[in-house]
Amino acid sequence: MRLAHFAVFVSFSAMAAGSVQAKAVSEADLRAHIEILASDAFEGRKPGTEGEAKTVQYIAQQWATSGLKPAATDGGWFDAVPLIQRGQGSAEYAFTAKGRKLRIVSEEIILIGKQVDYARNDLPLIFTGAGVKADGSVAADVAGKAALVLFDAENVPNNMKSPRARREALIAAGAEAVIFIGDGQGSWPSLRRLLLSRPIALESREKRAPLEGAMSAEFAVAMITAAGQDWDKLRAHAKASDYAGEPLGIDADFKVTTDIYRFNSSNVVGKIAGRKKGSGAVLFMGHWDHLGICAPEGAPDRICNGAVDNASGIAVLNEIAESLAKKKHDRDIYFVATTAEESGLLGAYAFAEKPALPLDQIVISLNVDTIAIAPRGSKVAIIGRGTTPYDATVEAVAKKTGRAIESSTDANAFIQRQDGWALAQKGVPALMVGGSFADLELMQKFLGSDYHGPDDELTDKTELGGAADDADLHIALGRYFADARKYKSKKAGE
Ligand SMILES: [Zn+2]
């Protein structure tokens, strides 16, 4: 495998040397950026921390030095992204059946409100099994009720294993409260951890019930048994494919306070102004954020530095910017370093909501994420293959830079897991192009080991060869798509 790569590399690099090219991006160029961005001083680049301040300053300063102009909506470098976190405050609750208050010894319940204060009396509880049917629809009449949902039910559709998807379906069906039951092995601790982790959200896109939470199986069994119901029977009923839930004959009183923390994070936005006004724009993006302090107190290394994910992508973005800014181009070339990708592409969604340029002006958007995986001479995969008119064009440009093409659509498995997806939802042609998603075995090796852990650090072994190749490829793509003679855009009316 490696030998084959080596042979490919030699023959193609000989070809590349023959054509007129910008100075190639080196592994050392990339390493210099990653060394800073993934250093402990940047604390894992979590939104809202000192690490964010250092990161966005570093990016803006790099882009300014390269000759980019600030291009956020207010003319500066930074577009504010309003984020929100919720944490557990206090909770009082009582459950009543047939006018009798239920005695529940367990205290394993966590309740978090949408607003700071939540109070409701006589809220009827309905047991919904998995919460949704195989087709993802909600059969139970949950409107105005508190829906109890089995976290680990066997018949949860594959694409709705995450609590989020089922929660949102139940909210859309009108549930007043959505409370998961940690019924499987280890699921209560993981639900608990999830709820108490103060997950970051973009308030404008949130779909939340007035009250959400989780209880342990122990709590649920105690409550349901005290109400004279049979837990095992309920669980057995819930296995039916047409299960429509069962009212439990239990009413709940809730008085819950929630800690709410709102803060602004930043997308960094810069541009190289084109010389042909109105000819559209090429957009490069990559997320600067990572997970911050991610290991518990006392762990030998507590910082998730995110060297590969995604200091490597920002390093490549910086090098693309530096190279492309040396020449004039017809179209504007935008660079966006997004925040809060790790919390669900939030910075990218915020950009799509309030873009620094009209979205219909974007000829192509190219996202750069987790790029330091593959060695030199790797094939080029396209995430988003088949979703834009550009596959053949991108392949032709890639071949010119000496790269071979991975023509399968396997890499599309990652299409929803990267920032370009947020723009694609608004009709922007959005691709992610490069070597790191061409060899999915190599990618899976990373995802199954250092990924999202303290070991995603820059070391002597960090593979930057493929990232350097990909930087050159993106520079070539930028030059091609920003050239109004080479690439005529229907969008720009040419
Ligand atoms: Zn990540």
Side-chain angles (χ1 to χ4, degrees), residues 287 290 309 341-342 370 451-452:
H287 74 90
H290 195 57
D309 178 14
E341 185 272 352
E342 303 288 10
T370 311
Y451 173 70
H452 283 190

Side-chain angles (χ1 to χ4, degrees), residues 328-353:
K328 289 269 179 212
H329 306 271
D330 294 337
R331 299 195 167 95
D332 291 340
I333 304 178
Y334 276 78
F335 291 83
V336 185
T338 58
T339 180
E341 185 272 352
E342 303 288 10
S343 302
L345 322 182
L346 303 184
Y349 277 116
F351 182 84
E353 271 174 22

